[in-house]
């Protein structure tokens, strides 16, 4: 006993050796950290491999590389729940697969297959990343439009019992292959031809396997059932299908419904109070993006797809009906000067400009353009008051709805910060970060994503709060954002000192299905 005591005293007098600092691969030091679930603090994030090993006020580590983040914001990598970037992510072009427009905003994960466009062959979509490395993570929906066209075609009719069974099987199989859920674009033909009961039957297949119902609702304006009824339908489909309802790019589109945001919010809040899971995403722009046909052509004229539409253009018996329907849709959009064509022969001109150039009225000019193709358009149709009200709801997350010709591809997250957070104070910085990352990850069950915490995947962004902003405009939609210093994807530095490194460290994120799978 005395010997042991003497040895201990001797050890103290000589000074006991302290443990060596932990070795890590990367240290983000001295930034203001927003974890996704806590008040911000100045500290360090330590990373080894593809995981975060510590988030603390001071990390006692030895790092192979240290990045000085003093004065910067350190946040979870942003997650975009609504994009149309599937073509880029599965492209043969390695540069496109990096998705620079997203990385340079700090977006590290995106969802594809939205608006009902997701291929039923989800296994192939997700498997693409194994042979074609991607710059960001991605998850995929199975889409109603793709399923219905494969089985029923483009006709305005209900499916037979056998066809409905076939569609249900396609949705079930896609869920078993890792689909995040079932997406619809009920505004778009041929999906718009489906009755609610048909959609519920398919959504139920996703619900049985732990999926989410994501919907571009049937009417964001006053085209058919109206905005309020379309919101009610989306909520009802989720309830009857036994799965969460997610409303894509929530908005009040067009002169007839501007100002209805409070009423829409009230309906969603009522459903949430009743215990239903209802959420939404939103892009921070007053102009939407779609096609000229979808904007202006009456739904009846789209029955049978483009070949049938073109034939109707040449049918004198339908001329007045077609014209009156198009005139009404143009009114709802705010007029010809509110539609900016962004693709094709007449790119970067409004429909009003094209009509003047052709010496035609706007309806005839629209038909002339559509005969050539169906170009994308940017449609200026929302009020800032509605945008802000939706943005301030705790269940509304940031998205881009990224599609060609619109600056939202290159600047949505950066714009939301610079305009609505920094300049207008519509939301706080913490709200911006959490609704661009943690809320999305938690809503859709992306395990290990959306938060800065020990054990999480190392997806993060470091940006300058003074300069982070969108540069893309409606006139120059392809300007990349500014102010992002560092982006890490699965532990790999993808943006370094504001420049792309060219490293493709993204992954396909397969949803783990519940319930019965083959």
């Amino acid at each position: 006993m005395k010997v042991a005591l003497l040895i201990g005293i001797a050890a103290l007098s000589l000074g006991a050796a302290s443990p060596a600092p932990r070795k890590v691969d990367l240290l983000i030091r001295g930034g203001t950290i927003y974890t996704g679930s806590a008040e911000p603090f100045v500290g360090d994030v330590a990373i080894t491999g593809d995981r975060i090993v510590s988030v603390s006020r001071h990390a006692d580590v030895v790092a192979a590389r240290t990045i000085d983040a003093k004065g910067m914001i350190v946040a979870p990598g942003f997650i975009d729940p609504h994009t149309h970037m599937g073509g880029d992510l599965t492209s043969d072009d390695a540069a496109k697969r990096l998705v620079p427009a997203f990385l340079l905003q700090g977006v590290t994960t995106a969802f594809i297959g939205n608006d009902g466009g997701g291929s039923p062959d989800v296994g192939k979509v997700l498997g693409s990343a194994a042979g074609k490395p991607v710059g960001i993570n991605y998850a995929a929906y199975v889409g109603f439009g793709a399923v219905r066209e494969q089985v029923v075609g483009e006709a305005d009719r209900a499916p037979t019992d056998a066809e409905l069974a076939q569609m249900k099987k396609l949705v079930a199989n896609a869920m078993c292959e890792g689909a995040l859920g079932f997406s619809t674009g009920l505004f778009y033909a041929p999906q718009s031809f489906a009755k609610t009961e048909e959609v519920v039957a398919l959504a139920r297949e996703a619900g049985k396997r732990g999926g989410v119902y994501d919907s571009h609702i049937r009417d964001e304006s006053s085209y058919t059932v109206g905005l309020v009824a379309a919101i009610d339908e989306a909520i009802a489909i989720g309830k009857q299908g036994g799965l969460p309802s997610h409303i894509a790019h929530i908005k009040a589109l067009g002169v007839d419904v501007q100002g209805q945001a409070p009423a829409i919010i009230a309906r969603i809040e009522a459903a949430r109070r009743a215990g239903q899971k209802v959420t939404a995403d939103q892009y921070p722009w007053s102009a939407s993006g779609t096609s000229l046909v979808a904007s202006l052509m009456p739904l009846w004229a789209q029955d049978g797809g483009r070949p049938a539409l073109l034939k109707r253009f040449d049918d004198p018996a339908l001329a007045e009906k077609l014209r009156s329907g198009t005139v009404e849709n143009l009114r709802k959009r705010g007029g010809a000067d509110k539609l900016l064509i962004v693709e094709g022969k007449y790119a970067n001109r409004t429909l009003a400009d094209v009509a003047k150039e052709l010496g035609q009225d706007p309806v005839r000019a629209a038909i002339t353009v559509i005969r050539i193709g169906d170009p994308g358009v940017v449609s200026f149709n929302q009020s800032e008051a509605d945008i802000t009200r939706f943005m301030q709801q705790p269940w509304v997350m940031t998205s881009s709805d990224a599609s060609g010709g619109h600056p939202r591809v290159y600047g949505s997250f950066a714009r939301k910060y610079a305009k609505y957070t920094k300049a207008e104070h519509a939301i706080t910085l913490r709200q911006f970060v959490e609704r661009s990352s943690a809320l999305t990850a938690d809503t859709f069950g992306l395990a290990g994503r959306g938060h800065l915490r020990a054990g999480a995947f190392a997806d993060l962004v470091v940006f300058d709060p003074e300069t982070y902003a969108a540069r893309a405009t409606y006139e120059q939609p392809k300007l990349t954002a500014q102010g992002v210093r560092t982006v890490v994807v699965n532990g790999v530095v993808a943006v370094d000192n504001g420049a792309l490194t060219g490293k493709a460290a993204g992954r396909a994120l397969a949803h783990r299905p519940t319930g019965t799978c083959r």
Side-chain angles (χ1 to χ4, degrees):
M1 186 72 170
K2 290 182 179 179
V3 173
L5 181 60
L6 289 172
I7 291 173
I9 293 171
L12 286 172
S13 65
L14 292 172
S18 56
R22 183 175 186 177
K23 292 182 179 180
V24 299
D25 295 333
L26 180 64
L27 181 65
I28 311 294
R29 170 146 280 170
T32 301
I33 299 173
Y34 286 77
T35 67
S37 58
E39 287 296 322
F41 61 92
V42 175
D44 305 335
V45 179
I47 297 165
T48 292
D50 65 353
R51 301 280 181 161
I52 295 171
V53 296
S54 71
V55 180
S56 61
R57 296 189 182 277
H58 178 75
D60 186 16
V61 297
V62 174
R65 182 181 178 193
T66 298
I67 294 176
D68 182 4
K70 184 178 181 181
M72 301 293 111
I73 303 298
V74 182
F78 299 143
I79 302 171
D80 191 335
H82 192 106
T83 82
H84 298 278
M85 302 303 288
D88 283 14
L89 285 162
T90 58
S91 171
D92 290 331
D93 186 339
K96 285 186 177 181
R97 294 199 307 272
L98 284 179
V99 198
F102 279 24
L103 284 175
L104 291 171
Q105 292 180 77
V107 176
T108 58
T109 301
F111 297 176
I112 60 174
N114 302 81
D115 290 352
S119 168
D121 194 351
V122 169
K124 181 179 178 180
V125 172
L126 295 174
S128 174
K132 298 178 180 180
V134 293
I136 62 173
N137 308 306
Y138 68 96
Y141 284 105
V142 55
F144 181 39
V147 168
R148 200 176 204 271
E149 286 185 40
Q150 181 173 322
V151 177
V152 179
E154 296 185 292
D156 182 0
R157 67 172 178 84
T160 65
D161 289 345
E163 287 171 336
L164 183 61
Q166 187 178 350
M167 288 195 289
K168 289 167 66 174
K169 184 176 180 180
L170 286 173
V171 173
N173 287 345
M175 290 301 303
C176 290
E177 291 176 352
L180 188 64
F182 178 61
S183 80
T184 65
L186 298 182
F187 174 72
Y188 299 108
Q191 298 175 73
S192 55
F193 303 142
K195 299 294 189 290
T196 303
E197 294 75 19
E198 178 184 338
V199 184
V200 169
L202 300 183
R204 189 175 288 122
E205 295 300 315
K208 290 176 183 177
R209 295 162 180 87
V212 173
Y213 175 64
D214 173 86
S215 184
H216 178 138
I217 58 176
R218 195 176 293 274
D219 194 351
E220 297 175 325
S221 184
S222 55
Y223 278 83
T224 53
V225 300
L227 174 59
V228 171
I231 291 288
D232 287 346
E233 181 188 40
I235 294 171
I237 289 169
K239 185 175 183 178
Q240 294 173 37
L243 73 174
S245 287
H246 183 78
I247 296 164
H249 41 59
I250 193 167
K251 67 173 75 69
L253 184 157
V255 295
D256 290 347
V257 296
Q258 287 175 5
Q260 289 189 12
I264 299 308
I265 291 166
R267 297 182 102 79
I268 294 172
E269 291 281 9
R272 287 169 60 86
R273 284 194 301 272
Q276 190 171 347
K277 294 180 180 178
V278 185
T279 53
D281 63 72
Q282 177 198 43
Y283 54 78
W285 304 87
S286 59
S288 64
T290 188
S291 76
L292 192 57
V293 168
S295 296
L296 297 183
M297 292 297 108
L299 283 174
W300 63 263
Q302 299 179 52
D303 181 7
R306 179 173 174 81
L309 175 64
L310 294 179
K311 286 183 180 180
R312 292 184 180 104
F313 286 165
D314 296 323
D315 187 341
L318 296 175
E320 184 53 40
K321 183 180 179 183
L322 182 67
R323 180 177 183 82
S324 63
T326 305
V327 166
E328 175 62 5
N329 288 344
L330 187 59
R331 180 195 68 79
K332 293 171 183 175
R333 291 273 171 173
D337 61 335
K338 299 295 186 182
L339 281 174
L340 176 67
I341 299 170
V342 295
E343 294 176 331
K345 180 178 179 179
Y346 297 102
N348 298 320
R349 279 173 274 185
T350 66
L351 181 59
D353 292 335
V354 173
K356 184 176 181 181
E357 177 182 328
L358 296 175
Q360 300 175 342
D361 65 71
V363 172
R364 179 54 54 189
I367 291 173
T368 298
V369 173
I370 291 169
R371 285 184 185 276
I372 300 171
D374 183 17
V377 295
V378 169
S379 176
F380 296 87
N381 51 42
Q382 299 170 64
S383 75
E384 284 294 331
D386 284 334
I387 291 170
T388 298
R389 286 191 183 97
F390 284 130
M391 188 179 294
Q392 290 172 335
Q393 305 313 306
W395 37 266
V396 174
M397 57 202 72
T398 315
S399 69
S400 67
D401 193 12
S403 58
H406 198 297
R408 62 194 183 189
V409 179
Y410 286 79
S412 289
F413 287 75
R415 175 181 170 86
K416 185 170 180 177
Y417 168 77
K419 175 176 171 62
Y420 294 99
T421 305
K422 182 183 175 187
E424 298 182 6
H425 306 291
I427 57 174
T428 67
L429 178 50
R430 180 177 173 183
Q431 288 170 337
F432 163 71
V433 168
E434 294 183 1
R435 295 173 192 178
S436 301
S437 56
L439 175 62
T440 314
D442 295 348
T443 297
F444 294 96
L446 301 186
R449 312 275 175 185
H451 295 265
L452 299 183
R453 58 169 65 127
F457 288 99
D459 294 342
L460 58 85
V461 56
V462 180
F463 67 87
D464 185 343
E466 297 301 318
T467 63
Y468 182 46
R471 296 191 303 133
T473 64
Y474 295 111
E475 295 74 26
Q476 294 182 288
K478 294 186 178 181
L479 297 177
T480 53
Q482 65 184 22
V484 165
R485 296 291 185 86
T486 304
V487 177
V488 179
V489 180
N490 295 310
V492 176
V493 177
V495 175
D496 196 0
N497 198 27
L500 295 167
T501 65
K503 294 180 179 179
R507 297 173 183 172
L509 306 180
H511 175 258
R512 182 174 296 176
T514 59
T516 304
C517 279
R518 61 185 184 281

